[in-house]
Amino acid sequence: MSIASEHKPLGKQVTSSLHTVSKLSPIVELNVGGEMYTTTLSTLKKHPGSKLAEMFTGQPKLRTDSEGRFFIDRPGTYFKYILEYLRSNQVPTQCIQDVYREALFYDIEPLIKQLEDSPQIFGELVARKQFLARVPSYSENIELMIRIARAEAVASRRSSVIVCVVRTEEDAARCQDALNSLDMDKKSVVKFGPWKAAPSISDLLDCIQMDVEAKGYKISFQPHIAEKGFRFKSHDFFYKFLFTWW
């Protein structure tokens, strides 16, 4: 008898707890990556098709922290811009790239489209990314450069990678002739191009530096002057990228 009487209140507690969780308060407290926010349920569900709205539709799909706040494991710094947009339709003018990443994660389509019209995102997506898409094996070559540099970094402060950049098919043939004349391991030369787009070789070199630095490496580049002479100027095609480790 005493055991049964102890279990009845527990059953009521569980039922009551589930009932409370299933009916969210109109005021919602959030912990986003350690940053605390308070907003309304209607604000979070403003765009029904978004991932953010889905998080708070029906039975809650998020864990809570020790204080009972819903926890989202994303950078909290940029969530304030997401929240400001949901509250007032104000498109952020700061941290555009980071906010764009978060808007993609939360799948807030109207904000994504407006950010893609901003000069920063438009330039990256429409201009630079579209150009690099026309450079064969660009991403793979970036990774190859990094692998070569890391392999040569043992007990060294710096390591270098030789890059061959050609814009046209004709230049590619001339580059191959030049490469055959160079006194170096041909397998260690990373080749970029040719491509059919307006940007120049210097534009591509800037892109290479930008994308390698975005991965956390400190690099610089300069024309590579061959020690032995041959009929083509080596710096027409060859560049030395220098990785500094410490």
Side-chain angles (χ1 to χ4, degrees), residues 95-241:
C95 307
I96 301 298
Q97 297 279 359
D98 298 300
V99 177
Y100 178 67
R101 241 187 333 265
E102 295 308 295
L104 288 172
F105 173 79
Y106 294 114
D107 196 21
I108 304 172
E109 197 63 36
L111 178 56
I112 292 171
K113 290 181 178 178
Q114 290 185 67
L115 288 173
E116 287 179 347
D117 283 338
S118 68
Q120 297 94 322
I121 304 298
F122 180 86
E124 175 70 11
L125 293 181
V126 177
R128 201 176 83 91
K129 290 295 186 186
Q130 289 299 315
F131 159 53
L132 296 178
R134 290 165 169 75
V135 180
S137 303
Y138 176 81
S139 297
E140 292 84 349
N141 284 339
I142 293 291
E143 295 301 327
L144 177 57
M145 283 180 63
I146 292 171
R147 286 200 302 273
I148 293 172
R150 291 173 69 95
E152 296 181 358
V154 178
S156 300
R157 183 172 185 179
R158 299 180 181 87
S159 54
S160 61
V161 178
I162 304 301
V163 168
C164 175
V165 183
V166 292
R167 186 174 176 182
T168 66
E169 293 288 353
E170 180 182 3
D171 285 345
R174 296 176 64 208
C175 177
Q176 189 59 49
D177 288 344
L179 185 59
N180 291 334
S181 303
L182 282 174
D183 185 17
M184 65 171 69
D185 182 1
K186 298 179 181 60
K187 293 182 180 179
S188 67
V189 178
V190 182
K191 306 175 190 66
F192 287 87
W195 64 86
K196 294 181 180 179
S200 64
I201 286 177
S202 64
D203 293 327
L204 181 64
L205 291 169
D206 288 339
C207 287
I208 294 172
Q209 182 173 13
M210 186 186 309
D211 289 330
V212 174
E213 287 181 341
K215 295 179 180 291
Y217 296 92
K218 183 179 179 181
I219 65 166
S220 59
F221 68 87
Q222 62 188 34
H224 175 66
I225 309 299
E227 294 181 0
K228 57 180 289 188
F230 51 92
R231 52 183 176 150
F232 301 120
K233 297 178 183 177
S234 62
H235 57 265
D236 284 347
F237 309 112
F238 295 95
Y239 297 84
K240 179 187 290 186
F241 277 82

Side-chain angles (χ1 to χ4, degrees), residues 43-44 46-47 52 82-89 108:
T43 296
L44 296 171
K46 184 174 181 179
H47 298 285
L52 183 61
I82 299 291
L83 208 52
E84 187 59 34
Y85 176 77
L86 295 174
R87 287 168 172 162
S88 61
N89 289 324
I108 304 172

Side-chain angles (χ1 to χ4, degrees), residues 29-72:
E29 292 190 359
L30 301 171
N31 176 345
V32 185
E35 299 279 343
M36 310 308 166
Y37 294 94
T38 302
T39 187
T40 64
L41 185 59
S42 59
T43 296
L44 296 171
K45 296 171 67 174
K46 184 174 181 179
H47 298 285
S50 69
K51 182 177 180 179
L52 183 61
E54 180 63 23
M55 291 177 181
F56 296 93
T57 300
Q59 188 71 17
K61 302 165 182 64
L62 297 170
R63 293 172 291 172
T64 56
D65 65 11
S66 59
E67 299 296 324
R69 292 174 290 237
F70 289 108
F71 179 73
I72 302 176

Side-chain angles (χ1 to χ4, degrees), residues 1-14:
M1 292 293 291
S2 60
I3 295 176
S5 63
E6 289 176 0
H7 277 76
K8 284 181 181 178
L10 181 61
K12 289 180 180 179
Q13 276 186 331
V14 172

Side-chain angles (χ1 to χ4, degrees), residues 12-26:
K12 289 180 180 179
Q13 276 186 331
V14 172
T15 304
S16 175
S17 175
L18 289 173
H19 181 71
T20 302
V21 171
S22 64
K23 289 189 176 181
L24 283 174
S25 167

